[in-house]
């Protein structure tokens, strides 16, 4: 296992289109997080899964955003009707119950034009 | 809600010198974790060092050490013998453990440049 993997690395989309990102966490990790990072800012928490259950969502996660983690393995983050303000780096992280360290993926950079 | 403040947007240091990055935080919790993460250009974020609030001893990891002042809510990172590979964004982060998501609350980051 080489770590947290995110695909695609880059995505350019037109305003109003839907996009979906994928995150494959470290295999033995049951906790999975999505963060959003805009230019000049630190990552901001979006949502958290423990196994397949989505247990916490930030107020940043508008109705246009949805995340899933079927079977407690990989996760997807979908943004519907993208807006220019959605342009950001979307980071995925995972951690195990016995370890508080979160391991991050390289992120998906979204540009909405 | 917890907040993390990094007051130095950018810093630079000469190779082999020592640099200290500042971080303050605000919380009403007594038990928590603090972290420094490094984000090199176009690369993933990696953990540099972490500190448990209940431990009085400052954490160290090779050339990296922290000065944790719980009463002052201060958590600075000292990098000794700076290397070119230390050039990166550095983020200070707070986490409240147990009973919740253990999500990280990040500061805005400090861009560190190590000059040859």
């Amino acid at each position: 296992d080489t770590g947290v993997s995110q695909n695609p690395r880059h995505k350019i989309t037109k305003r109003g289109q839907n996009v979906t990102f994928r995150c494959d966490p470290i295999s033995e990790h049951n906790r999975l997080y999505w963060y959003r990072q805009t230019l000049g800012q630190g990552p901001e928490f979006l949502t958290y899964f423990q196994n397949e259950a989505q247990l916490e969502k930030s107020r940043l996660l508008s109705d246009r955003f949805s995340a899933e983690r079927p079977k407690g393995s990989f996760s997807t983050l979908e943004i519907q009707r993208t807006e220019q303000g959605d342009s950001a780096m979307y980071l995925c992280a995972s951690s195990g119950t016995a370890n508080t360290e979160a391991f991050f993926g390289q992120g998906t950079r979204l540009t909405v034009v | 809600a917890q907040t993390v403040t990094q007051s130095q947007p950018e810093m630079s240091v000469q190779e082999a010198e020592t640099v200290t990055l500042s971080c303050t935080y605000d919380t009403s919790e007594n038990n928590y974790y603090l972290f420094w993460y490094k984000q090199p250009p176009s690369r993933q974020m990696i953990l540099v060092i972490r500190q448990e609030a209940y431990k009085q001893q400052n954490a160290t990891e090779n050339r990296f050490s922290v000065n944790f002042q719980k009463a002052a809510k201060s958590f600075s990172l000292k990098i000794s013998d700076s290397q070119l590979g230390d050039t990166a964004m550095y983020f200070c982060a707070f986490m409240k453990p147990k009973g919740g998501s253990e999500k990280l609350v990040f500061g805005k980051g400090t861009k560190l440049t190590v000059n040859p």
Side-chain angles (χ1 to χ4, degrees):
Chain A
D1 194 332
T2 56
V4 179
S5 176
Q6 290 189 247
N7 289 288
R9 293 287 310 281
H10 303 272
K11 179 71 176 179
I12 300 174
T13 190
K14 291 184 178 179
R15 189 174 54 185
Q17 297 293 305
N18 299 343
V19 294
T20 300
F21 311 140
R22 176 177 171 129
C23 171
D24 287 272
I26 293 172
S27 58
E28 64 267 26
H29 286 178
N30 64 349
R31 293 168 176 252
L32 186 145
Y33 305 83
W34 285 99
Y35 291 85
R36 182 171 69 187
Q37 185 178 18
T38 54
L39 202 61
Q41 302 292 321
E44 295 175 291
F45 170 77
L46 291 179
T47 191
Y48 158 67
F49 289 86
Q50 185 164 329
N51 299 311
E52 66 277 7
Q54 188 176 20
L55 298 183
E56 187 171 344
K57 292 194 293 185
S58 163
R59 283 171 287 182
L60 292 174
L61 214 64
S62 76
D63 291 344
R64 298 184 296 105
F65 288 71
S66 63
E68 294 183 339
R69 193 184 181 195
K71 302 178 184 177
S73 56
F74 71 92
S75 176
T76 58
L77 178 67
E78 181 184 16
I79 309 174
Q80 296 182 326
R81 305 181 302 282
T82 52
E83 302 172 356
Q84 286 189 320
D86 297 331
S87 294
M89 176 75 84
Y90 290 84
L91 298 171
C92 178
S94 70
S95 67
T97 54
N99 190 335
T100 56
E101 178 178 353
F103 292 83
F104 283 81
Q106 290 187 287
T108 294
R109 181 170 295 283
L110 173 67
T111 302
V112 181
V113 298
Chain B
Q2 290 78 25
T3 59
V4 176
T5 301
Q6 293 180 248
S7 59
Q8 304 151 315
E10 293 191 41
M11 293 192 72
S12 63
V13 64
Q14 292 299 120
E15 196 174 6
E17 297 293 306
T18 295
V19 64
T20 298
L21 309 184
S22 301
C23 172
T24 58
Y25 59 95
D26 188 25
T27 184
S28 57
E29 302 289 333
N30 189 51
N31 185 29
Y32 49 87
Y33 290 85
L34 295 165
F35 304 84
W36 279 97
Y37 276 89
K38 170 185 177 182
Q39 188 177 42
S42 302
R43 294 182 61 186
Q44 66 204 92
M45 197 170 307
I46 57 174
L47 179 67
V48 174
I49 197 166
R50 71 180 179 191
Q51 174 81 42
E52 291 91 336
Y54 64 87
K55 289 187 177 179
Q56 291 185 331
Q57 186 172 8
N58 289 324
T60 62
E61 287 288 342
N62 301 312
R63 298 182 294 108
F64 299 88
S65 62
V66 298
N67 183 3
F68 173 48
Q69 301 289 328
K70 190 172 183 180
K73 296 180 182 175
S74 171
F75 183 61
S76 61
L77 174 70
K78 185 172 82 171
I79 306 174
S80 304
D81 185 26
S82 298
Q83 300 176 0
L84 296 179
D86 295 333
T87 292
M89 285 292 294
Y90 285 83
F91 292 97
C92 178
F94 172 100
M95 187 193 79
K96 182 177 71 172
K98 298 181 181 174
S101 65
E102 298 192 355
K103 64 179 182 265
L104 294 163
V105 177
F106 287 90
K108 290 188 176 183
T110 296
K111 183 179 181 181
L112 176 67
T113 302
V114 180
N115 298 308

